[in-house]
Every structure is written in C-alpha cells, then in structure tokens.
Amino acid sequence: MSHEILFLSDKQINSLAADSMPDVIHDVERALTLYAEGECLVPDKAVMRWGTTPEDENVYGRINAMGGYLGGEYNMAGIKWIGSGPMNYKKGLPRASVTVILNDPDTKLPLCISDGTKVSAMRTGAAGGCAVKYLARKDASVMTIIGAGAQSRTQLLAALTVRPSIKTVYINDVFFDRAELFAEEQGKLYPQVKIIPVENPEQACRESDIITTVTLANEPIVHEDWIKKGCLMLNMADFEFTYECVKKASKIVVDTWVGIKHRMISTVALMARDGLIKDEDIHAQLGDVISGKKPGRENDDEIIYFNAVGMGIEDLAVVTRGYRKALEQGIGTKLAYWE
C-alpha cells in the first residue's frame, strides 16, 4: 500500500490561486454561500494562546487550528494551521504563517500540504470585499482604513476590486510612520486613488462611506458620532467599534454568528455576551445575502455593521482550486506518505 501527497510552496500556491483577488473573492463568496446553505462542516476554531490575558496574546501570540469540510464544487476537507507572532517583526519575519492540509473527504487521507500565508491574507481581504460588494453604497467614494498592517493592504485591494468608485482612502495607524509608508506604497499601486495618512481618524471616518478596521485593539477606536448616513462599518478584527456604533446600524450582518460568539473578541460578540444583542438581532449571515435569501443594502441612507471572524473553509476553497490546477499542470512536489 502506498500513498503520495503533494507539497505546494508559497510561490506555487500563490501563482496558482492566491495572486488574483477576483478569483479569491469568487472562492470566498462560494464558501460563504455553501456555509449558509448547510453544505459545510465548520467545527469551532481551536485557539492556543500564550499568556493569561487578552493583552498577552497581542505580545506572545497564538496558534489557531481551523478545520472544516467544504461541499459543492469543492468537496474537500482539511485544516488551516495559523501561527501569529506579534513580535516577529523584530526578527524580520511576518506576523502570520499558515499551513493548509487538504484531506480526501471519502478516505480522509491527506492529499496536499500547502503554504497558505498569502492565501489567508487574501481571503480575509476578500471577505471584506464581499461585504463591500453587497453592503456598501454603489457610489461609495471615500474609505477609511484603521490599521496599516498586511491586512489593510488586502482590504484595500478587495474594496477597489468591487468598488472602483472609491477615489479617496484615509489610512490611520497607532504608529503614524506605518500609515505614511502605506500611503506611499499603495499610492504607487493605485495612482487613480488619493491615499492620505492621518494621525487622528475622526474626521476621516466622518467623511467615509466605508470604514474598515484591521487592528489588535482591546478598546474601541471608532465612535458612533463619527458614522454618517449610508456608512458601512467593517469590523474585521477585534474590539474596534463602540457598542453605540452597532446600535446605530439598521442592519447587523456577519460571516458566521456561531463562530463570532465562540471567538468572543469583536464588538458585536461582546455585546452578545453582555445581553445587548440577541440572535434574532442579526439581520443575516453574508452567505444568505449573497444567495439572495436576505436583502443586503436597500437604500443609500442605511448604516450597516459587518463583522467577520473568518472560517477555515475559505482557505480550503482557495487552496483546493490551486491544488487541482497543480495536478493538471504538473506543479508541486510529490512526497511519499506511505511506502
């Protein structure tokens, strides 16, 4: 009895599947839709933290295990194993590192081991992009991004992919030099967009049709009086919006409500913990909006709050597409698993 697995390096999986934001957005749309239709298995995310407090996690880091099965045209099982080292930058290393393992849903044997670091960043950006596509104003032209790390770059790419109407982007970070670097770098990539670093995000938010937060905040950054009519709030990470921001929204949309409550780090999750949000207060999971079961934005004045915690099935969708292309094209390294 013998069995081989395919190894895909970062360069290989990126060229096969992760370099194209439109393709990743398609994968994430499909994963969210299949999840909403009950064609997935998504066990709770297992979080292995160093330290004893939430603040410790932002210093010492964590490793998350995100398993799942994705049905439909993907029909693939697997797991995402993601390490997060907040202090890695001091060693010249990226904060996140990701390994994805694909398993045959029939035999359960491993089929592929792939890097998933860029896959993870792109699919998280794509989740924000999907929210912008279905929940932002069609004519959205001003965006504020708070947090100038790796995630801010893919959030911008995804937003511009689905809303080319965006012409002004404000960028804020607790370290202003990072915001300046972001503006310089991204301005060269998107010369059609005015990218402006700001030390204080208040006025930028007040002008914005879309506010995206990608930070490690343990206390809210965005306040309710900064939110104008028609704004889409994208809470893509931790405790970044005040409770009052969420109360101001006419619709609350999430990627996975079960997953958000289990992770218990974002504004809407903490509100549920405190008894201020009930299950019935959630307007929809985004997959239901994508499939047309629930309405997304219904007028230009609606204020909508979106929160995503992320699911391993999104990574599985992207890597599965890359894996099948690799088999077709003879890319990757075959390794003897059983000899």
Side-chain angles (χ1 to χ4, degrees):
M1 181 184 298
S2 63
H3 180 71
E4 289 184 332
I5 58 175
L6 186 70
F7 175 77
L8 295 172
S9 69
D10 60 338
K11 183 177 180 180
Q12 290 166 335
I13 192 62
N14 293 346
S15 64
L16 288 164
D19 284 343
S20 168
M21 181 56 82
D23 289 340
V24 176
I25 288 174
H26 171 78
D27 287 329
V28 171
E29 282 188 327
R30 290 297 298 139
L32 291 170
T33 302
L34 290 166
Y35 174 74
E37 293 174 348
E39 294 191 42
C40 301
L41 297 174
V42 184
D44 289 339
K45 180 187 298 186
V47 182
M48 183 166 65
R49 296 182 179 91
W50 274 253
T52 57
T53 69
E55 291 76 16
D56 285 343
E57 183 178 316
N58 292 335
V59 176
Y60 303 113
R62 64 178 184 267
I63 302 179
N64 290 351
M66 303 165 66
Y69 164 73
L70 183 63
E73 64 269 33
Y74 297 95
N75 189 33
M76 186 65 72
I79 192 166
K80 171 185 183 180
W81 183 240
I82 173 170
S84 175
M87 298 297 111
N88 281 0
Y89 72 94
K90 295 180 179 180
K91 301 176 182 179
L93 297 171
R95 178 171 175 264
S97 59
V98 182
T99 302
V100 175
I101 301 173
L102 301 181
N103 292 77
D104 186 305
D106 179 25
T107 67
K108 314 303 186 289
L109 292 177
L111 300 174
C112 176
I113 298 175
S114 174
D115 172 74
T117 304
K118 184 173 183 179
V119 169
S120 181
M122 289 288 280
R123 70 80 158 155
T124 308
C130 289
V132 170
K133 179 177 179 179
Y134 291 95
L135 304 176
R137 289 174 55 122
K138 297 294 185 184
D139 62 351
S141 62
V142 181
M143 179 180 187
T144 291
I145 302 174
I146 300 178
Q151 267 307 311
S152 60
R153 288 156 170 80
T154 58
Q155 292 296 332
L156 176 60
L157 172 57
L160 293 177
T161 299
V162 300
R163 282 292 185 279
S165 58
I166 295 171
K167 298 303 179 186
T168 302
V169 175
Y170 294 104
I171 180 70
N172 168 261
D173 193 274
V174 66
F175 299 105
F176 186 60
D177 59 332
R178 294 184 187 178
E180 291 178 308
L181 177 61
F182 177 99
E184 180 182 354
E185 287 180 352
Q186 302 302 298
K188 293 175 182 176
L189 293 176
Y190 311 110
Q192 78 279 16
V193 180
K194 183 183 293 185
I195 303 178
I196 304 168
V198 293
E199 293 191 72
N200 185 322
E202 178 177 350
Q203 186 56 41
C205 288
R206 288 181 181 274
E207 298 175 20
S208 292
D209 304 302
I210 302 166
I211 300 172
T212 300
T213 53
V214 277
T215 75
L216 298 174
N218 291 314
E219 295 183 357
I221 302 166
V222 183
H223 298 270
E224 67 279 2
D225 57 340
W226 300 2
I227 308 300
K228 72 173 189 176
K229 285 184 178 180
C231 182
L232 171 63
M233 298 176 273
L234 296 181
N235 189 168
M236 300 302 295
D238 295 358
F239 187 17
E240 298 165 316
F241 290 83
T242 65
Y243 285 10
E244 287 72 23
C245 286
V246 179
K247 292 176 182 177
K248 195 170 184 176
S250 54
K251 288 188 175 84
I252 300 172
V253 182
V254 298
D255 60 347
T256 162
W257 185 225
V258 171
I260 286 168
K261 289 190 291 183
H262 174 74
R263 187 73 174 94
M264 196 51 67
I265 60 170
S266 63
T267 302
V268 73
L270 298 175
M271 292 177 74
R273 178 201 64 190
D274 293 345
L276 300 174
I277 290 286
K278 298 178 181 178
D279 293 352
E280 55 266 31
D281 295 323
I282 305 303
H283 168 69
Q285 295 188 134
L286 187 55
D288 287 322
V289 176
I290 294 169
S291 65
K293 292 180 181 178
K294 295 283 187 71
R297 174 170 292 276
E298 297 180 271
N299 62 69
D300 285 347
D301 287 340
E302 277 189 311
I303 296 172
I304 300 178
Y305 168 90
F306 175 76
N307 180 219
V309 68
M311 294 179 282
I313 56 171
E314 296 165 338
D315 304 79
L316 294 184
V318 179
V319 175
T320 296
R321 176 168 56 84
Y323 166 68
R324 289 176 178 158
K325 286 174 68 175
L327 293 179
E328 291 173 1
Q329 299 175 24
I331 294 172
T333 303
K334 292 183 178 179
L335 302 171
Y337 185 71
W338 287 342
E339 297 184 85

